[in-house]
Amino acid sequence: HISLCSKMVVALGIEGSANKVGVGIVVDGKVLANVRRTYVTPIGEGFQPRLTALHHRDNILLVVKLALEKASMTMADIDCVCFTKGPGMGAPLNVCAVVARTLALAWRKPLVAVNHCIGHIEMGRAVTGANNPTVLYVSGGNTQVIAYSAQRYRIFGETIDIAIGNCLDRFARLIQVSNDPSPGYNIEQLAKKGKKYAELPYTVKGMDVSFSGILTKLEQKLSQWLGSGEYTKEDLCFSLQETMFAMLVEITERAMAHCGSQEVLIVGGVGCNLRLQAMMHQMCEERNATLFATDESFCIDNGAMIAQAGYLMHKAGIATPIEDTWVTQRYRTDEVHVAWRD
């Protein structure tokens, strides 16, 4: 067992808002364990809440056990149990909340309910060393440009319809791309071979973006474009990425200009995409700014990010009473009082 001085805080975090169930253990901001299992559906299918919850239920106890083993700890060493309160899919979130409550009650540990988006931001800040960045949060369920001000993570711009990851997932289903390891990753690989750009709707409305029109046009034109040989699947993956990522770079740059920021941090599952990182890096270079990004172990949903945010909350004296440990599918980033920052 690790010898822990009295001041060190050991946080166990449980994440399960979508198709990944993860458990992480963090000691004073250092990740000791980050174990994850992913529910992968067949080609052409998305993941349904009920079946995703069953996957999490079948895997979560093993994932908790493996995380504790990896950190060489037992539940007696844990100072607080943190879990994702939302946003996310209701049934999978509930599985994780039940386990978190059970562990906390059985071992008499305080509970900390964490906002999923804030978990991504705080993990990104911890891993990269970014100080006060403009944050681009891009995932299957969220697309937001965020900046910190007066103990809130303020949303400067966001999608007005579907999230970017949802758009990528749905396009992957249209062209019958595998969900293993993820639809977005497989689209990224196909896009590298694309050579011809197809004109798609570029929809930026002030600080907000819209992706549903892009998907609608692809649905309408797909058979014609592929059937005639005018475009290949690779061309369409390339075109989809270039259009959507350019929109994101535009609104991120505008938020930077507004805030006088010289740092950009990309978080969320889509943040793993190297083409998005390259486009953002080019913009940052032109502004003499710095880009921060993480790899797939921290970009993609994981338990360590919930442990990290929970650790910061615990240190700030925040705990969640058992009667308030319900989960919610909607939980805005700017609803959270960020008591741990100045």
Side-chain angles (χ1 to χ4, degrees):
H1 291 280
I2 289 175
S3 171
L4 299 169
C5 71
S6 58
K7 287 183 183 174
M8 292 180 99
V9 175
V10 185
L12 180 143
I14 301 174
E15 154 60 26
S17 61
N19 69 324
K20 287 102 187 161
V21 60
V23 176
I25 295 173
V26 167
V27 179
D28 274 1
K30 185 184 173 199
V31 178
L32 294 193
N34 197 15
V35 183
R36 181 169 60 210
R37 291 287 182 272
T38 304
Y39 173 49
V40 177
T41 54
I43 291 175
E45 291 183 22
F47 48 91
Q48 297 171 25
R50 185 179 65 84
L51 298 176
T52 308
L54 286 173
H55 167 270
H56 291 5
R57 194 187 71 184
D58 292 343
N59 285 274
I60 191 165
L61 297 183
L62 173 65
V63 175
V64 170
K65 183 169 175 279
L66 291 173
L68 288 166
E69 285 174 3
K70 183 97 189 327
S72 300
M73 289 184 177
T74 68
M75 277 304 298
D77 299 311
I78 304 298
D79 291 310
C80 59
V81 177
C82 319
F83 70 97
T84 306
K85 183 181 180 71
M89 300 168 84
L93 280 170
N94 214 33
V95 169
C96 298
V98 167
V99 172
R101 279 187 218 112
T102 306
L103 291 173
L105 289 169
W107 274 273
R108 295 194 171 100
K109 306 293 181 182
L111 276 161
V112 183
V114 175
N115 177 292
H116 179 85
C117 316
I118 293 209
H120 275 295
I121 296 168
E122 294 303 350
M123 190 82 254
R125 286 180 65 230
V127 169
T128 64
N131 177 37
N132 189 24
T134 299
V135 179
L136 175 66
Y137 171 34
V138 276
S139 68
N142 299 276
T143 302
Q144 298 176 346
V145 177
I146 299 159
Y148 174 79
S149 174
Q151 297 200 314
R152 298 268 168 183
Y153 281 114
R154 314 280 173 179
I155 300 170
F156 273 72
E158 60 190 317
T159 175
I160 57 173
D161 41 53
I162 58 172
I164 185 167
N166 186 245
C167 188
L168 288 165
D169 291 354
R170 286 163 71 176
F171 180 62
R173 276 180 247 161
L174 280 177
I175 60 168
Q176 294 289 294
V177 166
S178 170
N179 292 321
D180 189 12
S182 74
Y185 176 82
N186 293 325
I187 285 175
E188 181 183 357
Q189 305 321 307
L190 288 169
K192 290 174 184 173
K193 299 171 194 158
K195 294 182 174 62
K196 191 176 176 189
Y197 179 76
E199 197 75 36
L200 295 170
Y202 183 101
T203 315
V204 174
K205 302 187 177 188
M207 283 299 297
D208 295 330
V209 291
S210 167
F211 298 123
S212 60
I214 297 174
L215 194 62
T216 301
K217 179 155 186 182
L218 285 166
E219 284 171 343
Q220 289 170 347
K221 295 280 191 179
L222 191 65
S223 301
Q224 179 194 325
W225 280 346
L226 294 181
S228 66
E230 188 179 352
Y231 297 103
T232 64
K233 280 184 183 180
E234 290 81 0
D235 292 334
L236 296 179
C237 290
F238 163 73
S239 305
L240 178 64
Q241 283 197 165
E242 294 300 301
T243 306
M244 295 201 297
F245 294 169
M247 289 159 60
L248 294 176
V249 171
E250 179 187 331
I251 63 168
T252 304
E253 183 172 20
R254 200 174 290 130
M256 289 174 76
H258 183 86
C259 299
S261 170
Q262 287 299 105
E263 294 180 329
V264 175
L265 172 63
I266 306 177
V267 298
V270 181
C272 296
N273 190 296
L274 297 180
R275 179 59 187 148
L276 173 58
Q277 290 182 21
M279 290 171 76
M280 197 66 76
H281 184 259
Q282 187 180 340
M283 180 273 286
C284 286
E285 274 194 326
E286 289 167 7
R287 297 183 65 86
N288 294 317
T290 309
L291 173 66
F292 295 94
T294 64
D295 65 13
E296 59 86 31
S297 58
F298 296 118
C299 258
I300 295 168
D301 292 350
N302 63 90
M305 71 185 205
I306 302 305
Q308 173 63 15
Y311 150 72
L312 293 169
M313 293 168 76
H314 179 80
K315 244 183 28 166
I318 299 166
T320 309
I322 194 84
E323 60 271 19
D324 293 335
T325 55
W326 41 270
V327 296
T328 173
Q329 291 177 204
R330 288 175 175 79
Y331 189 10
R332 297 278 291 175
T333 313
D334 50 9
E335 281 179 43
V336 179
H337 175 221
V338 185
W340 56 95
R341 288 190 65 178
D342 297 332

